[in-house]
Amino acid sequence: MARIFITGSADGLGQLAAKALVAQGHQVLLHARNEKRANEAMARVPGAEAVVTADLGSMEQTIQLASVVNALGSFDAVIHNAGVYNASAEDILMVNTVAPYILTCLIKRPRRLIYLSSGMHMQGRFQPGDLQNGNSRISYSDSKLHVVMLCKAIARKWPDVYANALNPGWVPTKMGGPGAPDSFESGYKTQVWLAVSDDAKAKVSGYYFSRHKPAPCHPQADDVQLQDKLLTLCARLTGISVPE
């Protein structure tokens, strides 16, 4: 049995992953933005261990969340599922890029890290100036490229951890909309597999997955110098560095 923490698990793919993991007999810690959503999350995922709350749009609350999670013990896997789409550039940067960076740095190192990216990261770009000189130009696609870069940087720096990113597909969540062509099942199964499977194909690191298989990613994601630049900029923004 594994113990897994999932950000953004009050609804959507995070909630479906939580339900699947609980059904398999694993311990799951949920996360919600506020108390109202936390109560809803616990009602919708019977069998979950507990739920923690934090608005990942707040750097202070995100840092505090890491402390709360650490106080609850260690985890075998952390799924960085939370994300925003129809939001300001400031919120997109904070929730999609900075929050997973902070939580990666501060939560006790798990055996596995799973980062939800998007096929839209292929249209993104990493421009250091966007993070240095304000974030008014950061797009959702940019942030999801940042997520793949963060994943690959962590995989390189922490060889004892399986760190992988994935594209859940275009699924009919609140973010994806009712007309999305992919199924919910295709969206959450890969992250569940990466979190707990003993399949040798899942026990790898530094990959970008789609439907259980490694997939091509944006060329910038594999640029080690750009990865390190992203980490440096995130450290400047937050005052938190990646532990060695």
Side-chain angles (χ1 to χ4, degrees), residues 205-217:
S205 197
Y207 286 86
Y208 172 72
F209 280 88
S210 178
R211 299 186 180 187
H212 292 61
K213 295 180 180 180
C217 63

Side-chain angles (χ1 to χ4, degrees), residues 46-115:
E49 175 184 338
V51 59
V52 290
T53 59
D55 181 350
L56 299 186
S58 162
M59 193 178 301
E60 181 181 358
Q61 288 191 38
T62 304
I63 293 170
Q64 181 60 32
L65 174 63
S67 296
V68 171
V69 172
N70 286 336
L72 294 173
S74 59
F75 289 82
D76 298 292
V78 175
I79 301 176
H80 293 282
N81 170 83
V84 293
Y85 180 67
N86 289 318
S88 68
E90 289 78 9
D91 281 343
I92 286 172
L93 176 64
M94 185 61 220
V95 176
N96 295 5
T97 301
V98 177
Y101 170 83
I102 290 173
L103 296 176
T104 297
C105 292
L106 296 183
I107 291 177
K108 293 173 189 175
R109 196 176 304 187
R111 297 175 186 174
R112 306 188 192 200
L113 287 162
I114 298 94
Y115 299 86

